[in-house]
Amino acid sequence: MKHYFHPQSRAVSTHWMLTELDAEHEQILVDYTNGENSRPAYRAINPMCKVPALEDGGVVVTETAAICAYLADKFPEKGFAPPVGSAERGAYYRYLFFPGTVLEPMFTMNQFGVKDIPPQSAGWGDLDRCLETIEVMTPEDGWALGKQFTAADVVFGGTLDFAVKFGWLPSPTPKVAAYVKRIKARPAYRESHDPSWH
Ligand SMILES: N[C@@H](CCC(=O)N[C@@H](CS)C(=O)NCC(=O)O)C(=O)O
């Protein structure tokens, strides 16, 4: 597998997922700071010009959550996804989709001061609704789906980790702060993230 990556990007989450799974891969640096991501060679992989991307044989997967879900399914023996058809699958999908479709747009709008979008029209509602939902979805102890750490934690927990680190979520509640702390203590997190993140 080829993992298209930059160390200061959301690709640290997919690198973390690969590390959790101990999945053999080639790390390919895409230097978006010099425009490498906009050149035809990389556009052919991801026309969004964004990292991360994963190439597995003839399969190209983009989007952090999609890559994590793909990897969890590729290595079912590692237990990073609940079995298809199990009750946990519903919550699993929620944790995988909520960060990219709701939290990311909300954090971006909030960070850039975009206001006055009616919450009933915006798919991400508003900051208050998102904060309340984050609190409800954050596990009191253990992991998103219970005792078993899964791709849901890499995606949801990884997004909360970014949010705290970059000030999108300046005052995490004690529950959110404790969850992010548990995440950061994982050996694979520490192996895959620059020490400045630890
Ligand atoms: N929705 C994408 C977002 C990825 C993303 O925004 N990557 C940024 C770095 S964190 C990027 O590649 N930026 C370069 C650019 O857009 O030119 C995902 O979840 O993977």
Side-chain angles (χ1 to χ4, degrees):
M1 286 187 291
K2 290 180 178 169
H3 180 232
Y4 296 90
F5 168 85
H6 188 279
Q8 274 90 45
S9 82
R10 288 165 176 85
V12 294
S13 293
T14 42
H15 183 212
W16 171 29
M17 180 74 185
L18 286 157
T19 308
E20 287 279 358
L21 296 169
D22 202 17
E24 215 171 287
H25 63 281
E26 184 186 345
Q27 194 85 298
I28 299 174
L29 179 74
V30 180
D31 191 355
Y32 65 76
T33 65
N34 71 12
E36 194 182 351
N37 58 320
S38 302
R39 294 190 194 127
Y42 191 67
R43 274 176 190 269
I45 294 156
N46 188 0
M48 282 297 291
C49 309
K50 291 206 173 271
V51 286
L54 185 79
E55 220 178 341
D56 183 17
V59 178
V60 171
V61 191
T62 67
E63 298 302 317
T64 302
I67 293 169
C68 290
Y70 178 86
L71 289 170
D73 290 348
K74 186 176 168 76
F75 300 97
E77 72 283 1
K78 305 273 181 174
F80 272 62
V84 174
S86 65
E88 291 77 29
R89 200 76 184 182
Y92 177 65
Y93 285 133
R94 187 182 183 205
Y95 281 102
L96 289 183
F97 286 97
F98 181 64
T101 57
V102 178
L103 293 184
E104 285 257 3
M106 182 279 294
F107 284 137
T108 305
M109 295 285 164
N110 199 43
Q111 190 189 10
F112 288 96
V114 180
K115 295 191 192 315
D116 303 328
I117 302 179
Q120 64 270 32
S121 301
W124 50 92
D126 60 21
L127 179 63
D128 287 346
R129 293 186 192 187
C130 286
L131 293 179
E132 192 177 333
T133 309
I134 288 172
E135 189 64 11
V136 167
M137 289 177 69
T138 298
E140 197 74 60
D141 49 33
W143 306 112
L145 301 186
K147 288 196 170 62
Q148 178 74 26
F149 183 89
T150 67
D153 296 291
V154 176
V155 176
F156 179 68
T159 302
L160 296 184
D161 178 32
F162 263 78
V164 173
K165 181 172 170 59
F166 294 111
W168 309 336
L169 196 57
S171 317
T173 63
K175 190 161 79 149
V176 170
Y179 176 53
V180 170
K181 195 170 167 201
R182 288 199 295 285
I183 287 221
K184 286 159 104 78
R186 290 186 68 81
Y189 177 102
R190 299 179 76 77
E191 202 183 309
S192 56
H193 289 68
D194 185 87
S196 64
W197 285 63
H198 295 175

